[in-house]
Amino acid sequence: MLGTLGISEFDERVYRAYLAKPDRTAREIAGDLGATPSRIQHAVARLVELGVLRREQPGQYRPISPRTALGALLAKHRADSEAAFAALGDMVDELASEYRACRLQGDPTELVEVITGEEAITLRVAELTQSMRTHFWVLDQPPYLGPYSTELEETFTRDLLDRGVDIRSVYTPEALEHPGRFGLITRLAQHGEQARLLPALPFRLRIMDRRVALVALIGGRHDGIAVVHPSGLLDALLELFDIYWQRAQPIVSTAPETETLDQPNTEDLLLLRMLQAGYKDQAIARQLGTSARTVTRRIATITSRLGLDTRFQVGAEAAKRGWI
């Protein structure tokens, strides 16, 4: 049973014998197990090296608590296994790159996959998404493939974050027009997604593990994509993403919040973030599920509470206090 931890069947019997009666000598255990004292001594030496027995005096050993000793062995083997699988994954990636490089020499068209049709695109995107391990970088703007759902996006993004994937997203205002999506993005940002905003983007782009990129073939349409594999073209797309990332403004401030008596509630913070992002009252109202008149009144209330006169001053003061 303990062979996975490096403890042989016989050594496990010796360990169990010590657990049953810790005060026995190695010679007594040899008699109980029907083994020679020499074999018991060798088993004891291995168990001491593994940290499950400790020597108290010549010929006298004590078992260490299984939860402590075996727990430590289990943690070590788990860490070793994870490191081995990670190294194996890197080797698979390396071999795949070598294979693709050789194929490209004979057929350069394999540099880019061109996929058309909603069903084929959905299947290919799902395959690539399931294999993601390290990075998911996005330039996000509509239109989208299939119906959009905040619930599906939240589940998908939280799963990636739980797996430790580095998520960086640059959104356009149009990408955040769907009711409730701006609030969702701010929540996800608090869980680890790095979200930024730009007034416009040239196209929709997804970069996965910095090894593959998905690009819409025609702007404003989603019925055809190019899947770009490791190459100079992929390097150029990585550089392009970094340029837009540096230009974009964070949707959620990374500055520490200042606790004050006039600290706005969660919904007012969301309103302030949309105001800073350039949303008009009507667009804010759609996100919050209320009327433009109510939004205008709430902005006026916040402005008055802060003792300010203009919306610009409100945005500057909110940023200064680390609210947005």
Side-chain angles (χ1 to χ4, degrees):
M1 180 65 72
L2 298 181
T4 304
L5 300 181
I7 300 176
S8 70
E9 182 178 347
F10 181 76
D11 290 355
E12 180 180 342
R13 291 175 59 199
V14 174
Y15 179 54
R16 288 180 180 273
Y18 273 105
L19 289 174
K21 294 183 179 179
D23 294 330
R24 285 183 295 177
T25 64
R27 185 173 295 277
E28 290 172 331
I29 290 178
D32 290 341
L33 298 183
T36 64
S38 175
R39 189 180 183 190
I40 297 297
Q41 286 294 344
H42 282 95
V44 166
R46 291 190 293 268
L47 292 172
V48 169
E49 184 178 355
L50 289 171
V52 299
L53 288 181
R54 68 169 179 268
R55 182 176 182 274
E56 291 200 332
Q57 58 186 14
Q60 187 71 47
Y61 297 87
R62 286 275 182 177
I64 297 174
S65 164
R67 187 171 297 278
T68 299
L70 299 182
L73 279 177
L74 180 61
K76 180 181 183 302
H77 277 266
R78 181 182 290 118
D80 290 344
S81 296
E82 290 175 352
F85 277 111
L88 184 60
D90 292 339
M91 180 176 292
V92 170
D93 291 341
E94 181 181 342
L95 291 173
S97 296
E98 291 180 9
Y99 171 76
R100 182 166 295 279
C102 292
R103 294 290 297 272
L104 286 175
Q105 290 180 358
D107 185 7
T109 60
E110 290 199 8
L111 174 69
V112 178
E113 298 176 51
V114 176
I115 304 175
T116 59
E118 182 172 333
E119 184 176 349
I121 292 174
T122 300
L123 179 61
R124 189 67 176 110
V125 170
E127 291 173 349
L128 293 169
T129 300
Q130 290 172 2
S131 67
M132 272 194 297
R133 294 188 292 125
T134 58
H135 299 79
F136 186 47
W137 295 352
V138 179
L139 299 181
D140 192 287
Q141 67 174 12
Y144 301 108
L145 184 65
Y148 171 78
S149 164
T150 53
E151 291 79 10
L152 289 177
E153 180 176 12
E154 182 163 15
T155 300
F156 169 75
T157 306
R158 282 181 176 268
D159 175 64
L160 292 182
L161 292 171
D162 290 342
R163 284 154 51 186
V165 175
D166 174 21
I167 303 180
R168 302 183 188 184
S169 305
V170 180
Y171 298 94
T172 61
E174 293 78 15
L176 301 177
E177 283 185 351
H178 189 282
R181 196 181 188 200
F182 195 101
L184 170 63
I185 297 305
T186 59
R187 291 199 306 276
L188 291 174
Q190 294 167 355
H191 287 280
E193 177 181 350
Q194 300 178 66
R196 297 187 177 185
L197 187 70
L198 275 177
L201 290 168
F203 48 73
R204 180 172 167 81
L205 170 69
R206 292 184 180 184
I207 295 173
M208 301 176 177
D209 292 346
R210 296 174 58 89
R211 295 186 298 108
V212 65
L214 278 61
V215 188
L217 288 175
I218 302 176
R221 295 177 58 179
H222 54 66
D223 55 355
I225 64 169
V227 182
V228 182
H229 294 282
S231 59
L233 180 56
L234 178 62
D235 293 341
L237 290 172
L238 289 170
E239 290 287 341
L240 183 65
F241 176 86
D242 188 62
I243 290 171
Y244 283 105
W245 177 256
Q246 297 300 329
R247 290 180 185 174
Q249 295 297 316
I251 291 177
V252 176
S253 173
T254 56
E257 293 186 7
T258 303
E259 295 292 337
T260 62
L261 293 176
D262 55 2
Q263 178 87 10
N265 59 35
T266 301
E267 199 165 76
D268 282 345
L269 282 174
L270 181 57
L271 186 154
L272 288 169
R273 290 184 181 120
M274 286 188 283
L275 195 64
Q276 183 197 39
Y279 279 64
K280 303 301 182 183
D281 291 6
Q282 191 70 41
I284 295 175
R286 285 198 300 271
Q287 289 288 323
L288 298 181
T290 186
S291 67
R293 180 176 298 179
T294 299
V295 169
T296 303
R297 186 168 60 249
R298 286 174 58 184
I299 293 174
T301 299
I302 296 172
T303 304
S304 175
R305 191 166 69 226
L306 293 175
L308 303 172
D309 299 317
T310 67
R311 292 184 175 203
F312 177 81
Q313 290 174 325
V314 170
E317 183 65 20
K320 177 181 176 182
R321 297 186 184 206
W323 293 347
I324 58 177

